[in-house]
Amino acid sequence: MNAREPDWAYVARSLVKVMAVTAALLLAFSAVDRVLWVFIDFDDERVAQVYATAARVANPDKRLSHGYGNGGGLLETTYTLWGEPRRAGPRAGATEYEIVENLFGTVRAPSLDGPSGSLADAIGFVDVDPGVDEVLTEKARKTIDGLPQTLDAVAVVEFADSMTTERLVAFNRRHRTCGGADVSYIYSPSYYDDSSEPASLNAVVWNRGMTEDNIQADLTYQCETEPVAALAEFRRWVGLLDEGDDLGAFELDYGWLAGAAEEGVVHGLVVDRWKLADLRKLLDDPEVRTVRLADVAFDLGEVG
């Protein structure tokens, strides 16, 4: 019995019809998408409030700011942040980072899944109540003493024991430390356990300026008492979250954030462009376990 030769002309016509119908459907869907964007609120504001702030929490190695919505649609909503690497030296120029939420609430942010580089390593060493370690503290002293004290630094200050807000305010007053955009609070260290789900979670690093898209531009920091305002704003933001929010793109979790907000203690500080001389003084405080430098640079504006 001979197999029949396929009717290639019929196959070709069928393929053309399928392609034509597919193209027509895509065009129709695109037109509907554009029309619905005019009449339906796709809630760019919630993307900014929840996911843009989550990106800042999970990526303290970047200075992320100036977010804006690119327009919503039936398929997805895109929100763009401007940012640059958090380094001690001159600005390296801004980069765009996109956060995309699709129709089903799934979020993609491939460049904002957590910190990288030396600052990520320094944050990764922070632990819950690690205690005093004189050897580690002395090593940090020798490192800083071996460098010009006028250098600017990006660093992590790790506490020997977790700090309540009251203790941290007292610490600030003792060292005349003023809160601001150059001080962020580590409310939870990073986490890794391959037997759990999720296996890893980023540290919760918070600065009141991380909600700057939703607050007035003339934000006034409160110097020594800034930890009080920072914790209040962190708790307010966590209160905006729903358990169904997809925070996996940032390696964060609703329960992880809610627990950190409820506990409200600080395990360390991320400090931005502090002088080495000021960091060196902190090492004489028994509440400071160590200072880990992530980057140092001369302030060229002071040269000359």
Side-chain angles (χ1 to χ4, degrees):
M1 184 174 180
N2 295 327
R4 291 182 57 188
E5 287 290 329
D7 186 344
W8 294 110
Y10 174 78
V11 171
R13 286 196 300 272
S14 298
L15 184 59
V16 169
K17 288 179 181 179
V18 170
M19 293 175 65
V21 170
T22 301
L25 288 173
L26 287 174
L27 287 172
F29 195 85
S30 177
V32 171
D33 190 33
R34 287 194 295 271
V35 172
L36 286 176
W37 178 79
V38 176
F39 295 103
I40 298 177
D41 180 8
F42 287 95
D43 207 0
D44 279 351
E45 183 178 352
R46 177 161 172 77
V47 174
Q49 287 183 333
V50 173
Y51 297 121
T53 303
R56 294 184 177 106
V57 170
N59 293 271
D61 63 319
K62 302 176 182 68
R63 299 185 185 100
L64 294 170
S65 61
H66 309 303
Y68 62 91
N70 294 351
L74 187 60
L75 289 176
E76 59 186 29
T77 298
T78 301
Y79 193 82
T80 301
L81 291 171
W82 284 92
E84 62 174 357
R86 192 178 300 276
R87 297 192 180 117
R91 294 184 177 276
T95 302
E96 287 188 344
Y97 298 92
E98 285 191 345
I99 301 169
V100 181
E101 181 184 26
N102 69 19
L103 178 64
F104 305 102
T106 300
V107 174
R108 292 182 289 105
S111 299
L112 297 171
D113 58 350
S116 60
S118 56
L119 184 53
D121 293 338
I123 293 171
F125 278 109
V126 175
D127 205 348
V128 176
D129 299 335
V132 175
D133 186 333
E134 288 293 346
V135 174
L136 188 63
T137 307
E138 185 59 28
K139 181 179 179 182
R141 286 194 187 98
K142 288 181 178 179
T143 298
I144 293 176
D145 287 345
L147 296 168
Q149 298 299 288
T150 56
L151 285 176
D152 285 345
V154 173
V156 172
V157 179
E158 183 180 9
F159 296 135
D161 299 295
S162 57
M163 290 268 210
T164 62
T165 301
E166 293 75 15
R167 282 181 60 196
L168 191 51
V169 169
F171 177 87
N172 285 354
R173 285 176 172 154
R174 194 159 61 247
H175 295 285
R176 298 182 180 179
T177 299
C178 190
D182 59 353
V183 182
S184 298
Y185 309 99
I186 303 176
Y187 286 124
S188 280
S190 55
Y191 168 86
Y192 178 77
D193 181 355
D194 58 7
S195 65
S196 67
E197 180 58 39
S200 61
L201 290 167
N202 281 316
V204 178
V205 182
W206 182 265
N207 179 290
R208 193 157 53 111
M210 289 179 176
T211 49
E212 66 183 353
D213 286 351
N214 311 299
I215 58 179
Q216 296 180 355
D218 60 348
L219 171 67
T220 301
Y221 288 96
Q222 300 182 17
C223 213
E224 292 99 334
T225 61
E226 175 63 17
V228 177
L231 179 58
E233 182 62 13
F234 177 52
R235 285 173 169 167
R236 185 198 70 81
W237 176 72
V238 171
L240 298 175
L241 305 180
D242 295 325
E243 290 192 44
D245 289 329
D246 182 12
L247 301 171
F250 313 106
E251 290 197 30
L252 295 173
D253 175 79
Y254 173 81
W256 184 244
L257 292 164
E262 181 179 2
E263 190 173 13
V265 298
V266 174
H267 305 283
L269 306 175
V270 176
V271 298
D272 191 358
R273 290 174 173 163
W274 276 31
K275 295 297 182 184
L276 282 186
D278 295 326
L279 287 169
R280 174 63 177 79
K281 293 174 185 176
L282 298 183
L283 287 168
D284 294 328
D285 191 312
E287 292 194 291
V288 174
R289 185 170 192 253
T290 191
V291 172
R292 290 188 171 89
L293 302 180
D295 190 33
V296 294
F298 283 106
D299 182 353
L300 298 180
E302 295 185 351
V303 177

